[in-house]
Amino acid sequence: MPVNLVAPDPASLLPVPGVRLGIASAGIKKAGRRDLTLIELAPGSRVAGVFTQNRFCAAPVTVCREHLTRGDVRALVINTGNANAGTGDEGLDRARRTCSAVADLFAVDATQVLPFSTGVILEPLPIDKILPALPAAHADLAAGHWSEAAAAIMTTDIVAKGASRQLQIDGRTITVTGIAKGSGMIHPNMATMLGFVATDAAIAPALMQRMVRDVADVSFNCVTVDGDTSTNDSFILIATGQAGNAEIADAGTDYSALKAALADVAIELAQAMARDGEGATKFMTIAVEGGRDRAECKQIAYAIARSPLVKTAFFASDPNLGRILAAIGYAGVQDLDVNALKVWLGDVLVAEAGGRAAGYSEAAAAAVMKAAEITVRVSLARGDARATVWTCDFSYDYVKINAEYRT
Amino acid sequence: MPVNLVAPDPASLLPVPGVRLGIASAGIKKAGRRDLTLIELAPGSRVAGVFTQNRFCAAPVTVCREHLTRGDVRALVINTGNANAGTGDEGLDRARRTCSAVADLFAVDATQVLPFSTGVILEPLPIDKILPALPAAHADLAAGHWSEAAAAIMTTDIVAKGASRQLQIDGRTITVTGIAKGSGMIHPNMATMLGFVATDAAIAPALMQRMVRDVADVSFNCVTVDGDTSTNDSFILIATGQAGNAEIADAGTDYSALKAALADVAIELAQAMARDGEGATKFMTIAVEGGRDRAECKQIAYAIARSPLVKTAFFASDPNLGRILAAIGYAGVQDLDVNALKVWLGDVLVAEAGGRAAGYSEAAAAAVMKAAEITVRVSLARGDARATVWTCDFSYDYVKINAEYRT
C-alpha cells in the first residue's frame, strides 16, 4: 500500500486561470474506465517539456518534441491504457491523427496539440476508440477538473497525485497546480511518468526551457522505484500568463520565487510516485552531502536507492549497514576515501572510519528501520555539494505486480 | 531451486599436481559447519588474481594484493561465515595474523599466504575460532579434496560448484580444475564470488596477470544476479608448472589452448553462479551481436540482464518484449538506431524495425519463455563485436532470501 499517501482533496487543487481540463471514457483497455484527458490552454500560453532519454522513445514523445519547436501550444491530449511505443511509422501516424482530431475540436492547427500516451507498449494505439471519445472530453472541459484528470491519467498507480501552491509575484497572486502519474519503472531521465505542472504566471518564452530543466533536476529526476526508465516519460511545464504580473524576463528574484513554488509542487508529485511505488511499504530518502559536485552525490545516492539488496533489507526493516556501504563502494566514484565518510540511519550515526560507528547500537538502528519513512544520510566529507533521491523498498508485491502485469 | 545444476561428481574434479586441499570446521557462524579451507601450492607455483572494484574492499583483499606483489605464494586460506569487511585496521591485523598462523604450519613466510573471507560484513573476524582450527585443516590436506573444498566455501549457495578439463600441450596432459562460490550480489568487476582455478601447466610469470584478466573477462565478468557488487570478490589463477611442458613464454598457440581450457572451466563456474542465483527459476543467456565494440554489446546485455522488470517477466514466463526493448533503449548507447536492431527469444524473431516483428506470434514467444533456459539474442547491425552475459530471473524467493538473510 502507498506509504503515507492519500489522493489530494479535490478542493485543494486550485484552478489555474487559462487552463481547463476534460475527461472521457474511451474504453481503451477497460470499458467504462475514464482514460482520456484533454487540457485546453488559453491563447498566449507558454509550454516547455523534458522527455525520456530512452532510445526507444514512443511515438507521442517524438510528436511532442516536433510540435514544441513550433510553439503556440493550445491543447494536450492524454490517454492511458496504451503507450503507443514500439509501434513504428504507424504509431507516429496515429499520434498525429489524434492531434488532428483534437485540433478540429479547438479550431487550431494539429501542430498546436501535444499528445501523451501511457500503458502497454507494442500494441497499436486504438484510435478507433480514442477519436470518437474526444468530443465527450471536450464537452467536459472545466477549470476545476484537476483531480478528475489526476485520476484519469493513472496506470498502475493506486493513488492519484496532485498538488497546488500559491505565491505573490509583482503584487499578484500566482497559482501553481500539478498532476502526475507513475509508480513503477521510475528512474531519472526519466521514468514511466507523466507530469503536468501549470501556472498562471507570465514568464518569457526564452526562460521556459531553463525553468522546466531546473525544476525536473530537483524533482522528477530525483526519484527511482526500480531503476528502469520508460519510453514515454514526459514532464510538461505550462505558463498561461493570465495572472497579470509583469513578465518574468530574467533569472532574478521573481524567477527564483516562481521556481521554488514550481519545484515544491513537482517534488511533492515526485515523492508521491515513490510513496506509491509498486509494492512499496517504506518511503526512503537518500541524502548525500559533502561531495565535490552534485553529480557524484547523485551517483552514490542512486547506487543506494537502486540496490535490490538495500531495498529488500529495508522491506525487512533490517538495518543492514553492510549493503549500504557496499553500494557506496561500487557507485563508481573512483577516488572515494571510504575511511572519511559517515552514514546515518535517521539520526543514528551507524558508520565511520570504514566500519561500524564506535557507539553503534543495533537496537537504535533497528528502531529507525521500523518506521514507514526512513532517511539514509551519507557525508562524503570532501566538498559542499549535496543531492537527495527518493525511493521505496522492494517487496514480495513488487515481484507479484510485475510478474502479473500483462495477465 | 538451482536451474539445471547439480553438484559435481567428486570423481569428475581431477587432482592438479602441486595442489592439495584441506578442510576443517572452525564453527565461525554455525557449530560443526566445515567452513575453513587451506590450499597448499608446491614450490615454484605461479599465482595471479583479479579483485573487487568496490571502494570498500575487504581486509583480506587488501592483504591478497600486497602479498601477490611479493610472489612465491605457497598457501591460500579461505573462511566462510564472516567477510572481514568494513572492519578497519583491526580487520587487516586479523587477516595478517591468520596468514602468519598458516605460514607457521607450512614453514613459509606470512607474505606467502593469501587470505580469503566471505560471509556477513562489519563483524570482527573470529580468529579465536579460526586459528585453533587451522591444524585440522592442515592435517586434512589431500590432492583429491576439490569437491570438499567446493562445499566448504559456499555461503548462500545451494549447490557446490566445480569443474575440470584436460588438454594436451607440448605432448603433456594438462589438467585444469576450478571451484567457485556465489549466488547473489553477483555482478562484474566483480561479485560476492570467490573463484579458484588451478592448472599444472608451466607458464611464464609475466603472462599470469594477462591470463587471469583474459579468463575473467569472458567468464566471471559476464554474470549478474542482482547487479550489486561485493567487497570481497576474488578470482585466483594458479599454475603449478608440474605438468612438465616447456614453459609457455608468449601469447602463441599454447597460450591460446591453455586459455581456452581455463575459460571453459571458469565459464562453467560463472554460469553455475547464475543457475544458483538467489531464488532463481530460470537461467538466462543475453547475447548481443553486431556491435561496434565489445563494450557497447556488454552495456546493452547488462541493461537487459539487470532490469528488475525484465527479470520478473521471465519469472512469470511472460514474453514481455516491451521491457526488453525499453532496457535496450536506456542502456546508454547514445546513437543507437532502434529501427535497425533485431531481437530473438530463443529462435523466434520477436522485434525488428522499431517494433514487433512482422510474423510475431505470441504463442511461439510464450513457448520459448516456458523453458527453464532462455536465450535473448539482440543484433545491433552496426559492427562485428559481440558479448554474452548470463543471469537468472527475479522471483518471490529472491525477496524472501534477502529480506531474511541476517535473521
Side-chain angles (χ1 to χ4, degrees):
Chain A
M1 289 302 299
V3 183
N4 296 337
L5 182 69
V6 292
D9 175 1
S12 74
L13 295 184
L14 305 171
V16 177
V19 178
R20 295 196 305 159
L21 309 96
I23 297 95
S25 172
I28 292 167
K29 202 175 164 190
K30 201 172 172 181
R33 161 78 202 274
R34 284 158 65 84
D35 52 11
L36 186 64
T37 302
L38 283 178
I39 303 180
E40 177 200 53
L41 308 185
S45 295
R46 277 91 194 235
V47 180
V50 287
F51 299 94
T52 182
Q53 302 291 311
N54 198 305
R55 293 292 305 168
F56 267 101
C57 76
V61 171
T62 301
V63 174
C64 268
R65 285 185 173 127
E66 279 174 22
H67 290 186
L68 275 172
T69 61
R70 313 209 182 171
D72 199 16
V73 172
R74 294 292 306 284
L76 286 66
V77 54
I78 310 151
N79 73 271
T80 58
N82 183 300
N84 193 12
T87 46
D89 289 341
E90 178 65 23
L92 285 170
D93 184 59
R94 292 184 184 205
R96 291 200 177 96
R97 285 170 66 187
T98 305
C99 290
S100 291
V102 172
D104 288 347
L105 290 170
F106 289 97
V108 298
D109 192 79
T111 60
Q112 295 177 274
V113 179
L114 302 183
F116 303 86
S117 297
T118 178
V120 297
I121 85 173
L122 293 166
E123 303 282 348
L125 185 72
I127 50 173
D128 57 317
K129 294 177 177 172
I130 291 172
L131 301 194
L134 288 171
H138 187 261
D140 188 56
L141 287 170
H145 279 177
W146 282 97
S147 68
E148 290 83 349
I153 64 175
M154 291 162 62
T155 53
T156 56
D157 307 61
I158 295 173
V159 173
K161 298 162 186 73
S164 282
R165 295 289 186 281
Q166 284 188 321
L167 73 158
Q168 299 290 317
I169 291 181
D170 191 26
R172 307 294 175 128
T173 296
I174 305 286
T175 299
V176 175
T177 294
I179 57 174
K181 60 92 25 183
S183 65
M185 219 196 236
I186 298 286
H187 193 62
N189 305 316
M190 297 169 64
T192 290
M193 60 143 283
L194 298 177
F196 304 95
V197 175
T199 178
D200 54 352
I203 174 170
L207 291 174
M208 285 293 288
Q209 194 60 36
R210 172 171 171 176
M211 183 67 94
V212 75
R213 291 199 178 281
D214 282 354
V215 172
D217 186 49
V218 296
S219 58
F220 296 112
N221 279 342
C222 296
V223 62
T224 182
V225 169
D226 52 24
D228 279 49
T229 61
S230 125
T231 51
N232 292 60
D233 310 324
S234 309
F235 167 45
I236 296 293
L237 178 63
I238 295 159
T240 65
Q242 309 260 313
N245 62 301
E247 185 175 271
I248 298 171
D250 58 42
T253 311
D254 290 347
Y255 178 93
S256 296
L258 180 61
K259 185 173 83 171
L262 293 169
D264 218 26
V265 166
I267 287 170
E268 186 172 332
L269 296 173
Q271 290 184 347
M273 291 193 286
R275 292 177 185 283
D276 198 6
E278 289 169 347
T281 74
K282 309 256 185 185
F283 174 71
M284 294 155 60
T285 299
I286 317 293
V288 178
E289 62 191 36
R292 287 191 190 143
D293 53 41
R294 182 167 162 80
E296 72 175 29
C297 294
K298 265 204 174 181
Q299 202 174 338
I300 286 172
Y302 269 117
I304 298 169
R306 287 187 60 170
S307 161
L309 286 171
V310 169
K311 291 159 89 80
T312 47
F314 275 69
F315 169 56
S317 299
D318 172 11
N320 196 315
L321 185 53
R323 295 183 185 174
I324 297 171
L325 294 181
I328 294 170
Y330 69 66
V333 177
Q334 286 307 327
D335 54 351
L336 187 69
D337 178 2
V338 296
N339 292 312
L341 61 79
K342 295 185 182 181
V343 180
W344 291 261
L345 289 176
D347 293 329
V348 180
L349 177 66
V350 291
E352 61 184 338
R356 229 170 234 167
Y360 178 81
S361 145
E362 178 96 5
V368 172
M369 296 296 291
K370 287 215 175 70
E373 309 221 355
I374 302 166
T375 296
V376 177
R377 186 155 66 92
V378 179
S379 165
L380 303 181
R382 60 192 218 153
D384 295 323
R386 59 178 60 220
T388 297
V389 163
W390 306 288
T391 189
C392 58
D393 60 338
F394 220 171
S395 69
Y396 295 117
D397 280 351
Y398 176 85
V399 177
K400 185 175 162 69
I401 290 163
N402 284 298
E404 294 176 356
Y405 181 57
R406 297 208 319 170
T407 56
Chain B
M1 289 301 299
V3 183
N4 296 337
L5 182 69
V6 293
D9 175 1
S12 74
L13 295 184
L14 305 171
V16 177
V19 178
R20 295 197 306 159
L21 309 97
I23 297 94
S25 173
I28 293 167
K29 200 175 164 190
K30 201 171 172 182
R33 162 79 202 273
R34 285 159 63 84
D35 51 11
L36 186 64
T37 302
L38 283 178
I39 303 180
E40 177 199 53
L41 308 184
S45 295
R46 277 90 193 237
V47 180
V50 287
F51 299 93
T52 182
Q53 301 291 310
N54 197 304
R55 293 292 305 168
F56 267 100
C57 76
V61 171
T62 301
V63 175
C64 267
R65 286 186 173 127
E66 278 175 23
H67 290 186
L68 275 172
T69 61
R70 314 209 181 171
D72 199 16
V73 172
R74 294 292 305 284
L76 286 65
V77 54
I78 310 151
N79 74 271
T80 58
N82 183 300
N84 194 11
T87 47
D89 289 341
E90 178 65 23
L92 285 169
D93 184 59
R94 292 185 183 205
R96 291 201 177 95
R97 285 170 66 187
T98 305
C99 290
S100 291
V102 172
D104 289 346
L105 290 170
F106 288 98
V108 298
D109 192 79
T111 60
Q112 295 178 275
V113 179
L114 302 183
F116 304 86
S117 296
T118 178
V120 296
I121 85 174
L122 294 166
E123 303 281 349
L125 185 72
I127 51 174
D128 57 317
K129 294 178 178 173
I130 291 172
L131 301 193
L134 287 171
H138 187 260
D140 188 57
L141 286 170
H145 279 177
W146 282 97
S147 69
E148 290 83 349
I153 64 175
M154 290 162 61
T155 52
T156 55
D157 307 60
I158 295 173
V159 172
K161 298 162 186 73
S164 281
R165 296 289 187 280
Q166 285 188 321
L167 73 158
Q168 299 290 317
I169 291 181
D170 190 27
R172 307 292 175 128
T173 296
I174 305 286
T175 299
V176 175
T177 294
I179 57 174
K181 61 92 24 183
S183 65
M185 220 196 236
I186 298 286
H187 193 63
N189 305 315
M190 297 171 63
T192 290
M193 61 143 282
L194 298 177
F196 304 95
V197 175
T199 178
D200 54 352
I203 174 170
L207 291 174
M208 285 293 287
Q209 194 60 37
R210 171 172 172 175
M211 183 67 94
V212 75
R213 291 199 179 281
D214 282 354
V215 172
D217 186 49
V218 296
S219 59
F220 297 112
N221 278 342
C222 296
V223 62
T224 182
V225 168
D226 52 24
D228 279 47
T229 61
S230 126
T231 51
N232 292 59
D233 310 324
S234 309
F235 167 45
I236 297 293
L237 178 63
I238 296 159
T240 65
Q242 308 260 314
N245 62 301
E247 186 176 271
I248 298 170
D250 59 41
T253 312
D254 290 348
Y255 178 93
S256 296
L258 180 61
K259 185 174 82 171
L262 293 168
D264 219 25
V265 166
I267 287 170
E268 186 171 331
L269 296 173
Q271 291 184 347
M273 291 193 286
R275 292 177 185 283
D276 199 6
E278 289 169 348
T281 74
K282 309 256 184 184
F283 175 71
M284 293 154 60
T285 299
I286 317 293
V288 178
E289 63 190 36
R292 287 190 190 145
D293 52 40
R294 182 167 163 80
E296 72 175 28
C297 294
K298 265 204 174 180
Q299 202 174 337
I300 286 172
Y302 269 116
I304 298 169
R306 288 187 59 170
S307 161
L309 286 171
V310 169
K311 291 159 89 81
T312 46
F314 275 69
F315 169 56
S317 299
D318 172 11
N320 196 315
L321 185 53
R323 295 182 185 174
I324 297 170
L325 294 181
I328 295 170
Y330 70 67
V333 177
Q334 285 307 327
D335 54 352
L336 187 68
D337 179 2
V338 297
N339 292 312
L341 61 79
K342 294 185 183 182
V343 179
W344 291 260
L345 289 176
D347 293 329
V348 180
L349 177 66
V350 291
E352 61 184 338
R356 228 170 234 168
Y360 177 81
S361 145
E362 178 96 5
V368 172
M369 296 296 291
K370 287 217 175 70
E373 310 220 354
I374 302 166
T375 296
V376 178
R377 186 155 65 93
V378 179
S379 165
L380 304 181
R382 60 193 219 153
D384 296 323
R386 59 178 61 220
T388 297
V389 163
W390 306 288
T391 189
C392 58
D393 60 339
F394 220 171
S395 69
Y396 295 117
D397 280 351
Y398 176 85
V399 177
K400 185 175 163 69
I401 290 163
N402 285 298
E404 294 176 357
Y405 181 57
R406 297 208 320 171
T407 55

